[in-house]
């Protein structure tokens, strides 16, 4: 029941590629997520800034600290030279024993960055940083590789026709600029981050080339890699983990047990599919055992409305299947009666969709749960209307199916019965989006990232990278990097700022290596006129229940889709109070402050 990234096989110039062309910049993000998943998306007195015991006692992929969630939730203790945070020092009454940097807002205990995700303050460092503490780390530098596959010719032609393709140089420059922004405020312990582009060779699903790329990456001795090949069954990530090299967005949507086997080396920003399904299960269960919404298809159409619920699942997979065993387990737990899988091949999609819908209709399925790419619902919903079949559609928020832009391409008669959950932030006007606000705070009021179409994918790994280094302390290793990320308390959680955390904070049954923890209930309103993610006004939009209130699996609200439209959010033109951070001047030396 878990989707994988896949191949966009439609040729430029076809009717479908012409339709896709209308999607604008958002399509570039979607296409690149699916086709090139490797493209990146976010001391004391005397100089002693350490806390805790010697590091290394629980490191390594086999150490239980990386997988054990049996203990109480919270931040692990710092070890070795890992720094204390301002909040920890304040609680211990030891704030005066440390030298705090000018970049620290001591009232909040976080760096003076205008974001709810601002990092905890740590003391200023001084003295020896340990030199070459790990592969890719020296006294002066931390070497990072950006995995950058060449865009296939057919995709390049399609994106060129759309006039929205960012060049590899623009993507690299944007990533470097976000790293510069976050590094200007963080503690790097006397080192600088050096980012190099790795010209990848692996195409989608090419396991042999993925392994060869991993061998070449390892030979270049990076500390960490951002990106990786798509649909390689985790081969690239496994090779890097065996070599002790962490990676980010290098193996999207792997089953949780595979990620644990490679811990603490494989990381993501978006919620894992296990987490999406855990959240979905908790949300449905909140309706109450035996409740009408649980037991009956209350939101289906025609003769299916109100009938005892019969669930079918449609999910994307790869060849050979990666999720056969775990998918079957999940299906049994959720009382799924029928599961259909498909491979991402747009040329074959209409026929496959017709086949799936015919089977679901003949089996009396009245609720369809979708976990797949954003284009397959175009064909599925069209086929359902053609066959006069009107089930409920439960969307789970995977691969941008929960955007207004994509959902408006789905058959309107079917979307009247569409609802579900989403991990995405509530849409806002571009000027108040987190990555744009921060970029302009540092680079100037009218500045725009070089990768104007993909900046939203490029700032999360930059923030994640700097966060781990900041919290690891001077003795930077993959283990201290991971433990540092585990020690950052959950942040965010408002309508426009998804809650982000790593480690064990009690939200999931597995150690969390994916950033986003929470979700929001969504339902499709075909009558509302609102902007889509491109800023274009159109008919129909996802509403977010209760003003966009987000929830974690441990505290879901009772489902109320299609209710309370007056309080349900669509596109916000201002940030809610809980998503606002203090205003701070740009840091000295930044372009916005008159620097170079």
């Amino acid at each position: 029941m878990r989707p994988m990234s896949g191949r966009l096989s439609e040729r430029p110039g076809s009717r479908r590629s012409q339709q896709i062309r209308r999607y604008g910049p958002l399509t570039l993000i979607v296409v690149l997520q699916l086709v090139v998943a490797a493209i990146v998306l976010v001391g004391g007195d005397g100089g002693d800034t350490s806390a805790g015991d010697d590091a290394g006692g629980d490191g390594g992929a086999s150490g239980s600290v990386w997988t054990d969630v049996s203990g109480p939730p919270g931040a692990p203790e710092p070890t070795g030279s890992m720094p204390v945070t301002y909040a920890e020092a304040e609680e211990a009454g030891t704030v005066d024993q440390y030298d705090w940097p000018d970049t620290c807002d001591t009232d909040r205990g976080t760096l003076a960055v205008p974001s709810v995700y601002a990092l905890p303050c740590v003391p200023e460092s001084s003295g020896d940083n340990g030199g070459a503490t790990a592969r890719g780390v020296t006294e002066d530098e931390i070497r990072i590789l950006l995995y950058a596959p060449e865009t296939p010719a057919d995709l390049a032609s399609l994106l060129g026709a759309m006039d929205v393709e960012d060049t590899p140089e623009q993507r690299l420059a944007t990533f470097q600029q976000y790293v510069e922004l976050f590094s200007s405020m963080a503690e790097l312990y006397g080192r600088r981050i050096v980012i190099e582009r790795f010209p990848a060779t692996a195409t989608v699903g090419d396991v042999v080339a993925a392994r060869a790329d991993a061998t070449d990456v390892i030979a270049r001795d990076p500390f960490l890699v951002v990106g990786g090949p798509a649909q390689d069954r985790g081969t690239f990530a496994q090779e890097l983990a065996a070599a002790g090299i962490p990676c980010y967005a290098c193996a999207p949507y792997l089953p949780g047990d595979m990620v644990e086997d490679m811990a603490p080396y494989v990381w993501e920003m978006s919620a894992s599919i296990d987490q999406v399904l855990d959240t979905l299960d908790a949300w449905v269960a909140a309706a109450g055992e035996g409740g009408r919404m649980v037991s009956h298809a209350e939101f289906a159409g025609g003769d299916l409305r109100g009938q005892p619920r019969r669930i079918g699942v449609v999910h994307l997979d790869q060849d050979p299947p990666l999720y056969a065993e775990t998918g079957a387990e999940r299906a049994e737990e959720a009382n799924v009666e029928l599961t259909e899988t498909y491979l991402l091949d747009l040329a074959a999609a209409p026929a496959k969709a017709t086949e799936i819908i015919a089977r679901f209709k003949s089996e009396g399925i009245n609720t369809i749960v979708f976990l797949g790419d954003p284009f397959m619902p175009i064909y599925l919903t069209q086929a359902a209307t053609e066959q006069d079949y009107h089930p409920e559609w439960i969307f789970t928020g995977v691969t941008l199916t929960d955007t207004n832009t994509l959902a408006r391409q789905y058959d309107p008669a079917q979307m009247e019965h569409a609802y579900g959950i989403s991990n995405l932030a509530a849409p806002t006007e571009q000027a108040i989006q987190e990555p744009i606000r921060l970029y302009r705070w540092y680079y100037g009021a009218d500045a725009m990232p070089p990768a104007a179409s993909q900046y939203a994918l490029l700032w999360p790994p930059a923030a994640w990278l700097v966060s781990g280094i900041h919290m690891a302390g001077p003795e930077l290793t993959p283990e201290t990097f991971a433990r540092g990320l585990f020690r950052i308390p959950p942040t965010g959680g408002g309508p426009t700022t998804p809650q982000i955390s790593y480690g064990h904070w009690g939200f999931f049954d597995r150690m969390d290596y994916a950033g986003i923890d929470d979700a929001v209930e969504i339902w499709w309103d075909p009558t509302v006129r609102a902007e889509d993610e491109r800023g274009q006004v159109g008919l129909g939009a996802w509403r977010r229940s209760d003003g966009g209130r987000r929830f974690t699996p441990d505290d879901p609200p009772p489902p109320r889709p299609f209710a309370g439209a007056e309080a349900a959010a669509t596109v916000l033109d201002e940030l809610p109070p809980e998503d606002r951070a203090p205003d701070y001047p740009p840091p000295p030396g930044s372009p916005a402050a008159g620097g170079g």
Side-chain angles (χ1 to χ4, degrees):
M1 295 173 61
R2 298 165 174 79
M4 290 291 291
S5 301
R7 182 187 303 276
L8 181 65
S9 59
E10 191 80 8
R11 293 191 303 274
S14 67
R15 186 173 78 81
R16 181 54 55 199
S17 68
Q18 291 168 2
Q19 184 174 3
I20 291 171
R21 189 177 300 122
R22 297 202 308 268
Y23 297 165
L26 180 65
T27 297
L28 180 59
I29 296 175
V30 174
V31 171
L32 288 172
Q33 280 184 325
L34 293 171
V35 182
V36 244
I39 297 298
V40 190
L41 289 162
V42 170
D45 294 341
D48 181 9
T49 64
S50 64
D53 302 322
D54 292 339
D58 50 15
S62 62
S64 62
V65 71
W66 309 125
T67 57
D68 184 10
V69 292
S70 62
E77 291 294 325
T79 64
S81 61
M82 295 182 71
V84 298
T85 67
Y86 192 91
E88 291 167 344
E90 192 170 43
E91 183 177 0
T94 59
V95 166
D96 293 340
Q97 297 179 20
Y98 302 95
D99 294 327
W100 303 98
D102 294 338
T103 56
C104 180
D105 179 345
T106 55
D107 290 334
R108 297 168 63 88
T110 57
L111 298 180
V113 177
S115 170
V116 298
Y117 301 119
L119 287 171
C121 297
V122 299
E124 287 186 324
S125 66
S126 60
D128 183 14
N129 64 11
T133 57
R135 180 198 297 265
V137 179
T138 69
E139 180 181 1
D140 304 313
E141 294 183 350
I142 305 166
R143 187 162 57 256
I144 306 299
L145 287 188
L146 178 62
Y147 186 95
E150 294 297 327
T151 305
D154 57 349
L155 178 60
S157 177
L158 171 60
L159 297 178
M162 293 162 54
D163 195 27
V164 294
E165 183 178 13
D166 296 329
T167 67
E169 291 76 20
Q170 289 170 328
R171 295 193 292 267
L172 177 61
T174 298
F175 182 57
Q176 289 172 325
Q177 287 182 349
Y178 277 119
V179 169
E180 176 188 336
L181 184 163
F182 293 118
S183 297
S184 71
M185 302 296 291
E187 178 60 73
L188 302 186
Y189 308 96
R191 300 183 177 99
R192 67 187 183 95
I193 299 172
V194 178
I195 302 164
E196 301 174 3
R197 179 175 177 268
F198 177 80
T201 64
T203 56
V204 176
D206 190 337
V207 173
V208 174
R211 184 173 289 111
D213 275 352
T215 299
D216 291 342
V217 163
I218 293 168
R220 291 177 64 166
D221 274 340
F223 172 67
L224 182 149
V225 177
V226 173
Q231 280 197 294
D232 70 334
R233 299 181 60 81
T235 301
F236 181 81
Q238 288 172 325
E239 295 289 328
L240 295 190
I245 299 175
C247 61
Y248 177 99
C250 63
Y253 300 125
L254 287 182
D257 55 353
M258 289 184 67
V259 174
E260 286 190 346
D261 287 344
M262 295 183 282
Y265 297 107
V266 178
W267 304 80
E268 293 287 339
M269 172 55 70
S270 59
S272 72
I273 293 302
D274 283 304
Q275 292 171 352
V276 168
L277 294 176
D278 286 346
T279 304
L280 182 68
D281 290 345
W283 170 70
V284 171
E289 187 68 29
R292 287 284 299 182
M293 182 178 166
V294 175
S295 60
H296 291 72
E298 292 293 284
F299 307 114
D303 294 341
L304 299 180
R305 182 185 297 273
Q307 294 297 315
R309 188 182 299 281
R310 302 192 67 193
I311 301 172
V313 172
V314 181
H315 76 86
L316 181 63
D317 211 330
Q318 59 181 322
D319 188 17
L322 188 62
Y323 305 112
E325 183 176 344
T326 54
E329 293 173 357
R330 281 280 191 175
E332 183 176 357
E333 292 171 3
N335 296 319
V336 172
E337 298 191 30
L338 191 58
T339 298
E340 288 281 351
T341 65
Y342 70 97
L343 304 179
L344 186 55
D345 180 354
L346 291 187
K352 183 64 175 178
T354 298
E355 172 191 323
I356 290 172
I357 291 301
R359 186 177 178 201
F360 278 1
K361 182 178 180 180
S362 67
E363 295 290 335
I365 298 299
N366 52 29
T367 299
I368 297 177
V369 180
F370 183 76
L371 298 116
D373 75 275
F375 302 119
M376 190 59 168
I378 296 174
Y379 306 106
L380 288 169
T381 56
Q382 288 175 352
T385 295
E386 289 169 358
Q387 297 182 38
D388 194 24
Y389 171 56
H390 299 277
E392 295 182 333
W393 292 86
I394 297 181
F395 285 86
T396 54
V398 295
T399 58
L400 304 184
T401 53
D402 48 348
T403 61
N404 294 337
T405 299
L406 271 301
R408 284 178 186 166
Q409 311 308 313
Y410 308 156
D411 191 280
Q414 300 296 319
M415 292 303 290
E416 293 180 8
H417 313 290
Y419 64 105
I421 61 172
S422 170
N423 292 112
L424 292 181
T428 68
E429 296 181 351
Q430 185 183 61
I432 59 175
Q433 293 174 5
E434 180 86 358
I436 292 297
R437 285 192 308 102
L438 290 179
Y439 189 89
R440 291 176 175 172
W441 169 72
Y442 186 84
Y443 288 103
D446 298 323
M448 193 68 188
S453 298
Q454 295 179 49
Y455 63 84
L457 294 178
L458 291 158
W459 79 276
W464 170 86
L465 169 65
V466 174
S467 297
I469 295 170
H470 173 85
M471 294 294 293
E475 294 183 17
L476 178 62
T477 68
E479 290 76 22
T480 58
F481 182 90
R483 198 181 189 101
L485 288 170
F486 286 179
R487 294 185 57 232
I488 301 174
T491 51
T496 68
T497 56
Q499 179 177 293
I500 294 174
S501 72
Y502 293 97
H504 175 35
W505 293 93
F507 305 116
F508 303 104
D509 293 335
R510 293 182 185 271
M511 193 68 78
D512 185 6
Y513 291 91
I516 296 178
D517 300 325
D518 56 2
V520 61
E521 178 181 277
I522 59 174
W523 51 277
W524 186 253
D525 186 340
T527 67
V528 67
R529 294 189 65 82
E531 288 186 355
D532 63 13
E533 291 72 19
R534 305 164 298 169
Q536 295 189 11
V537 176
L539 189 62
W542 288 112
R543 285 195 178 274
R544 285 162 167 76
S545 296
D546 195 15
R549 174 197 168 191
R550 302 183 69 86
F551 61 90
T552 52
D554 61 330
D555 186 28
R560 296 183 65 246
F562 306 103
E566 67 283 353
T570 53
V571 178
L572 304 180
D573 57 8
E574 63 179 7
L575 294 178
E578 60 266 44
D579 293 344
R580 299 173 191 166
D583 291 327
Y584 299 108
S590 67

